[in-house]
Amino acid sequence: MRVSLILVFTFFLISCKQNAQNIPNEIVNNEKNNFDIPGTRLSINKPTNFQFFPELSRIQKDDNNKIQVLEMKGADFISYKLKFIKSIENATKNGGKIDYQKNLKINGYDALILSSPQNKKNLSQTILLFGNNNFSVMIAGETPLGNEEAKNEILKIILTSKYDENKNLNEEQFNQFSIDLKNSGFKFNKYAGGISFYTIDGAGSPFGDKLTDILMVQILPKMSKEDMINYSEKMINKMQNNSFPEKNIKNLHINKKLYNEKGNETLEYLMNNSFQNQLFNNLLILKSTEKGTILYSVIDKTQEKTNILKDVFKSIQIK
């Protein structure tokens, strides 16, 4: 369900003053030394001065120059692209700026590249979308605002992307944690963007538009109590203020609790929500440990599994 991705990965607006006309209408990448991004069917030409961070599914030179990737297996690209363009149009109506957007093909797949400055954040973002009716890929680069050399470097890297649609993956092997799902009914569904998704009996897709039961786990860098509070509040705000008004979630009641579990700061939200006139519970928990921060979010349509879902969370151990 789309609200699940809003919790952890929001739409990027993009940038650089590269002229769209300088980007070919069709790109065929034959690079044999691309870096295979773990947990995906995607590869990219990663420079030696860029490092890969598996917990974020990101490669970066430093905190100011980075590329985030997200593979959505089972997500129809045309539908995804149209929704993305609509979000961009909504942003421009509210004062956002788009330098350019261009349709192209990359290795035979339909693609879209966009560019725009993010003045309030003092950065630029560049994004490439591509796919077909079986998958969608988003690759988003970020550089300091006004640094043309850095923007061009990121753009060049992004355009080396290759996707192996026939690559077989045991996606669960990329989990950075162990978990006991007990009698929750959830089973592993897919791994995308550093997030492990679980659905009832492992069926369906977490990227659809209908409200469905989804459990998500992501391991983030170690956070302070203040960082966890800020991070979670931004997530909740995104749920309530989506780029698509029809996707907004209404929080009917929020029970917030901060506690210490075996020496680890833990922040828990139990929310009673409404989405398109459907009621559901959303359990959101962050726990900071020496090995990293566990981000745990569950959409529960039954509104009856709170205790079971809390027990599942307690079973999570970072590897």
Side-chain angles (χ1 to χ4, degrees), residues 27-231:
I27 296 173
V28 177
N29 292 322
N30 296 313
E31 176 63 53
K32 296 181 179 180
N33 297 315
N34 269 8
F35 171 72
D36 291 323
I37 299 175
T40 76
R41 295 164 184 82
L42 187 72
S43 66
I44 201 166
N45 190 352
K46 181 179 74 68
T48 56
N49 58 341
F50 277 69
Q51 184 178 356
F52 177 68
F53 291 83
E55 67 272 18
L56 301 172
S57 198
R58 173 194 294 170
I59 66 169
Q60 67 180 61
K61 178 190 293 185
D62 51 44
D63 289 341
N64 298 315
N65 297 271
K66 49 199 173 188
I67 297 173
Q68 186 90 35
V69 301
L70 176 65
E71 174 196 7
M72 293 168 283
K73 187 71 174 174
D76 177 68
F77 174 69
I78 298 301
S79 176
Y80 181 69
K81 183 178 79 168
L82 291 175
K83 291 172 182 176
F84 187 87
I85 290 174
K86 184 178 179 181
S87 75
I88 297 298
E89 291 173 347
N90 289 339
T92 55
K93 289 178 182 178
N94 292 319
K97 181 182 177 182
I98 302 297
D99 287 338
Y100 66 77
Q101 65 183 56
K102 177 174 181 172
N103 292 304
L104 66 154
K105 283 189 177 291
I106 185 163
N107 297 319
Y109 296 117
D110 289 332
L112 175 71
I113 191 162
L114 306 96
S115 169
S116 92
Q118 302 292 293
N119 294 314
K120 290 184 179 180
K121 297 180 180 180
N122 200 33
L123 57 84
S124 296
Q125 290 180 319
T126 303
I127 196 167
L128 174 69
L129 308 175
F130 68 89
N132 60 19
N133 60 344
N134 294 317
F135 77 93
S136 296
V137 166
M138 173 190 281
I139 307 173
E142 184 176 298
T143 56
L145 190 64
N147 190 329
E148 299 299 319
E149 183 178 352
K151 286 189 291 185
N152 289 333
E153 179 183 35
I154 290 291
L155 176 62
K156 183 178 179 180
I157 296 170
I158 287 175
L159 292 177
T160 66
S161 304
K162 291 177 64 177
Y163 189 82
D164 185 354
E165 195 171 357
N166 298 316
K167 183 177 181 179
N168 291 320
L169 282 179
N170 174 15
E171 296 180 13
E172 199 167 7
Q173 70 176 305
F174 299 104
N175 286 355
Q176 301 174 62
F177 57 89
S178 60
I179 185 171
D180 182 355
L181 295 167
K182 303 183 185 294
N183 56 344
S184 66
F186 286 97
K187 292 183 179 179
F188 181 80
N189 180 278
K190 65 177 71 254
Y191 177 91
I195 307 165
S196 297
F197 293 90
Y198 299 80
T199 58
I200 299 299
D201 292 326
S205 171
F207 305 126
D209 289 327
K210 295 182 179 179
L211 181 68
T212 186
D213 296 282
I214 296 177
L215 185 154
M216 297 176 293
V217 182
Q218 184 178 24
I219 306 302
L220 298 171
K222 180 176 172 59
M223 296 184 186
S224 66
K225 177 174 66 176
E226 292 74 20
D227 288 339
M228 289 196 298
I229 292 173
N230 290 335
Y231 191 92

